[in-house]
């Protein structure tokens, strides 16, 4: 996959974020957590006791309806990043490779803007998610990671 880093910054919540442009296609956003953070090494569909479950009656928001459907009735799975974090299309990436989406030793959680209703480069329907939109989604994700993760005492 060929891509360009459009923005790499420290969010207001204090976590590093990156927005990439997948060439001739769409944008993706990522927020990284450092080693020692309770979410470091957690896959996006993996339950984590450090995460707070969504509140009873909380709306789907921007989460993946499929992830919520798969987690329905499984209280443990309700504590997975893809269910807890309300971000565009849901969390669709988690990994800690040394060079993607940007060189680091972080564990990244990401979303993509290539879902139903999104327009990819050259498409004629849907909404093209621009850089400011993805920056806002990364800021929101970083804030949620900080607010919804219980840190060890």
């Amino acid at each position: 996959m060929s891509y360009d880093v459009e923005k790499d910054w420290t969010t207001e919540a204090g976590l590093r974020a990156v927005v990439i442009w997948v060439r001739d296609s769409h944008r993706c956003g990522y927020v990284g957590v450092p080693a020692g953070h309770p979410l470091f090494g957690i896959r996006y569909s993996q339950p984590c006791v450090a995460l707070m479950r969504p509140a009873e009656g909380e709306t789907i928001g921007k989460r993946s309806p499929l992830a919520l459907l798969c987690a329905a009735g499984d209280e443990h799975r309700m504590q997975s990043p893809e269910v807890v974090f309300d971000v565009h299309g849901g969390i669709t990436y988690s990994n800690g490779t040394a060079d993607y989406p940007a060189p680091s030793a972080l564990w990244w959680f990401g979303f993509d803007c290539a879902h139903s209703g999104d327009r990819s480069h050259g498409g004629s329907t849907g909404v093209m998610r621009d850089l400011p939109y993805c920056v806002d989604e990364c800021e929101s994700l970083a804030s949620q990671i900080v607010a919804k993760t219980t840190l060890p005492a």
Side-chain angles (χ1 to χ4, degrees), residues 11 13 15-16 30-34 37-40 50-52 81 84-86 91 107-110 137-151:
T11 64
L15 299 174
R16 184 175 175 193
Y30 303 89
V31 175
V33 296
H37 189 281
L39 295 180
F40 190 88
L51 284 175
M52 292 189 292
V84 173
F85 300 131
D86 185 1
I91 299 293
W107 183 264
W108 297 94
F109 290 96
E137 287 298 286
C138 285
E139 287 286 348
S140 173
L141 176 56
S143 294
Q144 290 176 68
I145 288 172
V146 169
K148 295 182 177 189
T149 305
T150 303
L151 299 176

Side-chain angles (χ1 to χ4, degrees), residues 3-6 18-22 26-28 30 100-101:
Y3 66 94
D4 296 308
V5 174
E6 289 192 297
V18 173
V19 173
I20 68 168
W21 169 252
V22 179
H26 62 280
R27 288 181 175 82
C28 300
Y30 303 89
Y100 184 86

Side-chain angles (χ1 to χ4, degrees), residues 11 36 57 87 90 94 99 144:
T11 64
V87 66
S94 58
D99 60 351
Q144 290 176 68

Side-chain angles (χ1 to χ4, degrees), residues 30-113:
Y30 303 89
V31 175
V33 296
H37 189 281
L39 295 180
F40 190 88
I42 300 294
R43 294 180 317 275
Y44 66 88
S45 61
Q46 179 182 350
C48 178
V49 295
L51 284 175
M52 292 189 292
R53 292 181 175 97
E56 185 70 31
E58 189 173 335
T59 64
I60 291 175
K62 299 175 184 178
R63 294 176 186 88
S64 164
L66 182 58
L68 294 173
L69 181 64
C70 290
D74 183 346
E75 287 301 311
H76 191 59
R77 183 123 182 241
M78 293 300 287
Q79 287 179 279
S80 66
E82 69 180 346
V83 171
V84 173
F85 300 131
D86 185 1
V87 66
H88 183 85
I91 299 293
T92 56
Y93 179 88
S94 58
N95 210 326
T97 60
D99 60 351
Y100 184 86
S104 76
L106 300 173
W107 183 264
W108 297 94
F109 290 96
F111 63 92
D112 66 82
C113 296

